[in-house]
Amino acid sequence: MMKTTTATTKTATTATALALALPLALGGLAPRAAAAAAGPDGGEAMLLDRREIVVPAHAAELVRVDNLLGRVVVRGTARPGEIHIVAEKHALSAEALGRLRVHYTAFESGEIVVDTRVEMGGRERSLPLAGSGIDLLLEVPPDLAIEAKTFGGDVQASGLRAGAKLETTGGRIGVQDVRGGVVTHQLRGGQRVAAVDGDVDLDGVEGEMDLRDVGGGHVDAKVVDGSIRAEDIRSGLVRLMTTTGQIVLIGVIRPGAHYDLRSYAGDVRVIPVGEPAAFELRARSAAPLESDMPLRGSRREGEWLRAEYVGRRTPAHTRTALLELSSSLARIIIQPRMEAELR
Amino acid sequence: MPAATTTCPSTERLSALLDGDLPASEAAVVRAHAAGCARCAQAAAELGALVSAARGLDPLEPPPTLWRAVEGALDARAPAEPRGWLRWRPFLLGTFAGAIAVAIAVFALPRTAARIAERPAAATGEAGMAAAAASDPLLAEAEAEFARAAAAYEQSIEKLRTLLARAEQGWSADERTRIAERLARLDDAIERSRDFARRSPGDSAGNEQLFAAYQQKIAFLAAAVHRGGEWSERTP
């Protein structure tokens, strides 16, 4: 039931429309090229081999990309029913180049898997390499869910309409213009997430996190060693947590929303833009709360300070927001800004 | 295993000790016995391994890499495929669209069966991989990449350990003991994963298991640092 074919080196005929655009995106590379380029230090030449193929994806629902050998870029720009794969491999020797492989497998369940391997001891293995590798660019129909994993290479997703799960050990994560849930896992490298309409769950050990223009039900971002900057977050539940870094939240405080911002060793800074909704504040920090907003009813409950902000133009029936801010070793700062001041 | 004595605690009591379910006075008795009894020390070590794998880590979410590690282990046993730079295996999409049971029968079972059938050969292959590790520059590259990642995890753990040492100064002795016991179990899980990874060079599953163990420890340390004195109440 499974048909296995060794792909020809010629781009499939159905690729024509997309193949025209990709060479531009990749710096004018030919559809198939094998060439030598100088190494990074101008010394040893790096051998390059680039292939592209268009595969059918009429019943596909999920594309999973496992590439421990390099970068992964996924763009939701393909026509319905087609996936365009560009694979570029590089190595310092022809022997090493010949041992790098890309596999494409489509299953009846609707899952499509693209994975890379290196031939080793007569078997193909999914392993990261330092001097050789494969970079993958996939153009997929926007309505396919995406799962992508790298080891040291960056992983980027854009233009998707069914969410993305991205995982990397040491690469950077980039998400732009995605509808649907976004889930990430990372050891180090930093994450930038922008223009997402869906739940966002970011997890990292080391590196900065930058979130902008995010809607959906919730944002949950956790990093151990790094700062989190979140701007224009419209979700009802915003949970940002770092152990060593700072947290900065910039944007409108929305009625009924719950903001839970916690840093162990860094400052927690909230910069409300415009007139905030009325909110209840729970704050705990090593230093006294620094607030430029008029707070009422300040009182201590254990190590927590509680207070309220009553919006000047907030209608009486509007739900109160909740700000829970905690910094065990540093400061909590609330500094409202008008939108014009931020520009 | 050495013979049990009439004073040896039951397996259930040892398990309860590892779970922190024994009253402090009883825990001290069992712990003191295990310190001087080879049988109980061994049983406790084995239970500890089970607990850390199955129960001790249950407050934390399964690591995202867990299933992939399992898949990777299966993949490592998959038969070698014919060479080819880009292999294209289009399924007969739509032929059985929506027929999940059929899809499982056609896809999952044959693949699994093929992998299981391949296991004896894979064992030989792993021995070959170990031998190849010293001579294949690409394998050496891969192992170096894994080692760099492991070092990064350990660096993060060390930072958190430093923060935890500061945070726990104000905690009770019981809280510090409980955390130390949990950390010992997590360290044990890491050590076993590291051994597994060392035994199978070129097998990403071993390293993924090790990284999953590191992630568990990092998550636990971060939670402990953040929760501070609330740890005992809020961490199951």
Side-chain angles (χ1 to χ4, degrees), chain A residues 52-280:
Chain A
E52 57 185 89
I53 190 167
V54 173
V55 296
H58 295 292
E61 296 174 359
L62 166 68
V63 176
R64 189 151 65 86
V65 187
D66 279 355
N67 182 19
L68 302 193
L69 285 162
R71 290 178 295 172
V72 172
V73 176
V74 182
R75 297 179 187 145
T77 51
R79 294 189 303 204
E82 284 185 354
I83 296 176
H84 190 168
I85 304 168
V86 178
E88 185 172 300
K89 60 177 181 172
H90 57 272
L92 289 171
S93 71
E95 188 269 341
L97 199 67
R99 292 166 63 184
L100 305 178
R101 314 284 162 73
V102 180
H103 292 269
Y104 160 82
T105 311
F107 299 110
E108 281 192 344
S109 62
E111 179 178 350
I112 287 176
V113 176
V114 178
D115 68 300
T116 61
R117 305 175 199 172
V118 54
E119 189 275 323
M120 207 168 271
R123 300 243 296 273
E124 293 185 355
R125 293 172 182 268
S126 181
L127 292 170
L129 297 175
S132 311
I134 302 174
D135 294 329
L136 294 177
L137 166 63
L138 279 80
E139 292 202 328
V140 303
D143 58 343
L144 292 187
I146 299 296
E147 293 184 17
K149 177 185 178 184
T150 69
F151 190 83
D154 296 348
V155 55
Q156 296 173 25
S158 62
L160 304 173
R161 295 295 173 262
K165 293 182 181 175
L166 309 177
E167 180 182 344
T168 179
T169 301
R172 293 170 295 184
I173 290 177
V175 177
Q176 171 80 39
D177 182 24
V178 170
R179 191 179 305 152
V182 171
V183 179
T184 70
H185 294 283
Q186 180 186 54
L187 168 59
R188 57 181 171 176
Q191 305 187 32
R192 292 178 67 90
V193 173
V196 172
D197 183 7
D199 292 343
V200 172
D201 292 273
L202 310 183
D203 182 68
V205 174
E206 183 186 330
E208 311 298 305
M209 285 184 177
D210 190 298
L211 301 93
R212 288 164 197 266
D213 183 14
V214 176
H218 73 260
V219 169
D220 193 336
K222 294 192 292 281
V223 63
V224 172
D225 193 7
S227 294
I228 303 174
R229 186 180 193 279
E231 183 168 354
D232 189 15
I233 309 296
R234 299 179 301 280
S235 308
L237 173 60
V238 180
R239 185 171 287 142
L240 311 177
M241 189 166 87
T242 171
T243 307
T244 66
Q246 299 187 4
I247 293 175
V248 179
L249 175 69
I250 304 172
V252 174
I253 302 297
R254 295 180 181 274
H258 180 185
Y259 303 87
D260 183 357
L261 317 183
R262 293 169 190 250
S263 171
Y264 178 74
D267 289 343
V268 172
R269 188 181 298 263
V270 178
I271 305 178
V273 174
E275 173 59 28
F279 63 79
E280 177 188 345

